[in-house]
Amino acid sequence: MAVKKGEVIDVAVTDMAFGGRGLAKVDGMALFIDGAVAGDKVRARVFKKKKSFAEARTLEILEPSENRKAPVCEYASWCGGCKWQFLDYEVQLEYKRRHVTESLEHIGNIHGVTVHPTLPSEHLFGYRNKMEFSCSDSRWLLPHELNDPDIEKGLGIGLHVPGTFSKVIDIRQCHIQPEMGNRLLERVRQYIKSSDLPVYGLRSHEGFWRFVMLRHSYHEDRWMVNIVTAEDRPEVVQPLADDLMATFPEVASVVNNITSRKAGVAVGETEKLLGGDPFITDRLGEHTFHISANSFFQTNTPGAEALYATVEKFARLTGTERVIDLYSGTGTIPIWLSRGASEITGLEIVPSAIADANENCRRNGVDNCRFVLGDIREALPGVDVKPDVMVIDPPRAGMHKEVVARVAELNPERIVYVSCNPATLARDLEMLKAHYEICEVQPVDMFPHTFHIEAVARLERRRD
């Protein structure tokens, strides 16, 4: 008998599906279960039923898997930040490798490629150098809080329940950011609670306090606090900045981003410096980078160094190569590779990223990188470089098929493809495999306790 929406069912979980959910089969139908791991026997409630699959949430662990472990964080079952805390880390790494392999085989029809064991993260907790906490005028209550008459039901500052825009968990301790971040967040929370201005309503779009963003310099152990508000009220936010600078010597910068847009994005239409510097400084390898409130920087600094070292290894530069880097962002990969190449041309669509890339080159004494502004589809045909090596680090959606065609026309000797999405990695490599041999893939874990995985692929031009 097929499962029904709302039904409670006892099932044995036999595998893990991409997206971090357990997989069970019920009368031949795939059942994806939140909060379950392969080897569990669980009691779950079906909340979605489609023709060929159903989705459920774990209500009770009847028999735990040998790979299950107690999560460190009290919010782990509800928060979207790190949903795999209940899974042994070595098993996480193996599942991530499997997801890459299975994506290549099932989506890209690419078989027999060496997918190396996943490179582990140096830190399993406290690894994120950027956290973005949403403010809500009505926090989401955890199940054990629902029947507590004394629980405060108003202000919440924290992370969203997955798949929602208005359900914010009031996070008191986030284990994937350094501990100092929790102290800063609590100080800001108490100030906001004592202020006379309301927290922003995610449904009403009214209120003042919107986001608290924390950025951390891993190598210098310095912090930036970015307070995002709906209006410019310096008489309100300046005392908060002064308090943070006076209380925490680790705080190097406090800024106020101001936005009246309804979109739930922590980027201001304007920005004001309230204390310290307008940036913090961090390193990747031997290179230094200024990080402002809204600039892109990989969120796991040691993980980024491992990722870029893999890119360098796969690029096999000897000092004479001309390199094109697609989706070059703020120039971190070109700068990392600069000593091994003759020249590097980066293409990027975001003007501020180009400006940051040029400034990063200047600061690091790199003079063999140039950056071209424009949509990759339009800019790439106009680049007057015949590359020996091409590095491609696209967004999660992967490359447009016109870009893939142009890459094949340029016919570089070697391609190094950096991916944050195994599905689009497989799709793009399938479009390139007629021209290139996919030699090896190295998964790199930059996000412990999540199902997300970075992967670097080495492609060599076919000779036949």
Side-chain angles (χ1 to χ4, degrees):
M1 182 182 296
V3 298
K4 299 177 181 179
K5 183 177 178 180
E7 181 180 2
V8 175
I9 186 171
D10 294 352
V11 292
V13 183
T14 56
D15 206 346
M16 299 295 290
F18 186 73
R21 295 181 293 180
L23 174 63
K25 290 292 182 70
V26 181
D27 295 330
M29 173 177 281
L31 181 65
F32 300 101
I33 309 172
D34 287 335
V37 58
D40 281 342
K41 184 175 181 181
V42 302
R43 180 163 293 151
R45 184 186 301 278
V46 179
F47 67 88
K48 182 181 290 186
K49 170 68 165 46
K50 296 293 185 179
K51 185 175 181 180
S52 60
F53 69 93
E55 299 179 44
R57 293 189 182 93
T58 299
L59 299 177
E60 182 182 352
I61 307 295
L62 302 177
E63 296 178 16
S65 166
E66 63 179 9
N67 296 322
R68 176 176 283 278
K69 59 183 299 182
V72 172
C73 178
E74 66 175 301
Y75 313 109
S77 298
W78 311 104
C79 169
C82 43
K83 294 183 68 175
W84 264 9
Q85 276 194 40
F86 58 73
L87 186 59
D88 179 81
Y89 186 61
E90 292 301 319
V91 178
Q92 291 181 35
L93 296 178
E94 178 52 30
Y95 276 127
K96 292 183 182 193
R97 177 179 177 273
R98 279 181 48 188
H99 289 327
V100 174
T101 301
E102 291 170 356
S103 294
L104 293 174
E105 293 176 349
H106 299 156
I107 298 173
N109 195 26
I110 299 168
H111 301 271
V113 173
T114 298
V115 179
H116 298 288
T118 305
L119 292 181
S121 176
E122 182 176 335
H123 304 285
L124 304 190
F125 291 99
Y127 62 84
R128 283 194 65 98
N129 59 38
K130 176 186 176 184
M131 289 296 298
E132 185 179 297
F133 298 102
S134 298
C135 299
S136 173
D137 59 354
S138 180
R139 73 182 183 91
W140 191 78
L141 298 182
L142 298 173
H144 70 271
E145 297 174 323
L146 290 173
N147 297 319
D148 185 348
D150 299 323
I151 204 75
E152 294 184 24
K153 299 180 180 179
L155 167 71
I157 304 178
L159 302 175
H160 289 258
V161 176
T164 72
F165 76 93
S166 61
K167 296 178 181 178
V168 173
I169 302 171
D170 192 43
I171 302 290
R172 297 301 175 126
Q173 184 176 23
C174 178
H175 293 272
I176 58 175
Q177 70 171 346
E179 179 54 35
M180 174 57 69
N182 294 311
R183 294 172 57 192
L184 292 169
L185 180 63
E186 183 59 27
R187 192 78 173 191
V188 174
R189 177 187 283 108
Q190 293 306 318
Y191 184 90
I192 289 175
K193 288 178 69 173
S194 66
S195 75
D196 294 327
L197 291 176
V199 169
Y200 194 79
L202 298 176
R203 292 186 179 275
S204 68
H205 300 293
E206 296 178 353
F208 179 73
W209 305 100
R210 298 200 62 173
F211 297 94
V212 180
M213 181 195 290
L214 304 177
R215 304 199 75 149
H216 176 239
S217 167
Y218 174 82
H219 287 290
E220 298 190 357
D221 195 21
R222 303 281 278 166
W223 288 82
M224 168 185 281
V225 181
N226 176 17
I227 307 298
V228 183
T229 60
E231 303 172 49
D232 183 13
R233 297 285 298 271
E235 74 279 7
V236 175
V237 293
Q238 189 62 56
L240 171 58
D242 294 343
D243 174 71
L244 292 172
M245 295 291 292
T247 306
F248 301 99
E250 299 88 349
V251 174
S253 172
V254 183
V255 299
N256 176 204
N257 270 244
I258 303 148
T259 179
S260 60
R261 298 190 183 105
K262 291 183 178 180
V265 180
V267 177
E269 297 164 280
T270 59
E271 178 175 313
K272 292 191 172 183
L273 177 64
L274 303 178
D277 299 316
F279 54 81
I280 54 176
T281 302
D282 209 346
R283 298 197 314 273
L284 289 173
E286 61 188 22
H287 303 106
T288 62
F289 297 89
H290 284 182
I291 306 165
S292 59
N294 299 314
S295 64
F296 175 79
F297 196 75
Q298 293 281 1
T299 53
N300 181 336
T301 305
E305 292 174 327
L307 183 75
Y308 292 172
T310 303
V311 173
E312 182 178 22
K313 175 184 175 182
F314 282 6
R316 299 184 174 182
L317 301 176
T318 65
T320 62
E321 291 84 1
R322 292 166 296 180
V323 179
I324 289 181
D325 178 32
L326 302 186
Y327 314 93
S328 57
T330 56
T332 50
I333 290 180
I335 290 171
W336 184 283
L337 297 177
S338 59
R339 286 194 176 181
S342 171
E343 61 179 76
I344 302 179
T345 302
L347 278 69
E348 171 58 47
I349 195 173
V350 179
S352 61
I354 292 279
D356 286 345
N358 285 318
E359 175 59 22
N360 287 331
C361 285
R362 185 199 63 77
R363 186 178 307 109
N364 287 284
V366 172
D367 60 6
N368 62 341
C369 296
R370 67 179 180 118
F371 299 93
V372 177
L373 175 65
D375 185 296
I376 304 295
R377 284 184 291 172
E378 300 168 0
L380 187 56
V383 172
D384 58 348
V385 175
K386 178 67 173 70
D388 303 296
V389 177
M390 183 171 285
V391 178
I392 304 171
D393 185 7
R396 288 191 63 81
M399 290 192 291
H400 191 279
K401 61 182 180 181
E402 293 177 16
V403 177
V404 176
R406 179 56 180 159
V407 168
E409 288 175 10
L410 286 170
N411 200 29
E413 181 73 22
R414 183 174 302 111
I415 295 173
V416 181
Y417 189 116
V418 186
S419 171
C420 61
N421 184 344
T424 54
L425 168 69
R427 184 203 65 194
D428 289 353
L429 294 191
E430 182 180 29
M431 290 189 283
L432 287 167
K433 70 180 183 181
H435 307 280
Y436 286 87
E437 179 186 357
I438 292 84
C439 301
E440 58 183 321
V441 180
Q442 176 64 71
V444 181
D445 187 24
M446 296 176 61
F447 311 103
H449 313 304
T450 79
F451 62 88
H452 297 291
I453 183 65
E454 297 272 337
V456 186
R458 177 172 65 88
L459 288 68
E460 301 284 347
R461 189 171 65 200
R462 292 189 183 276
R463 299 300 180 188
D464 45 23

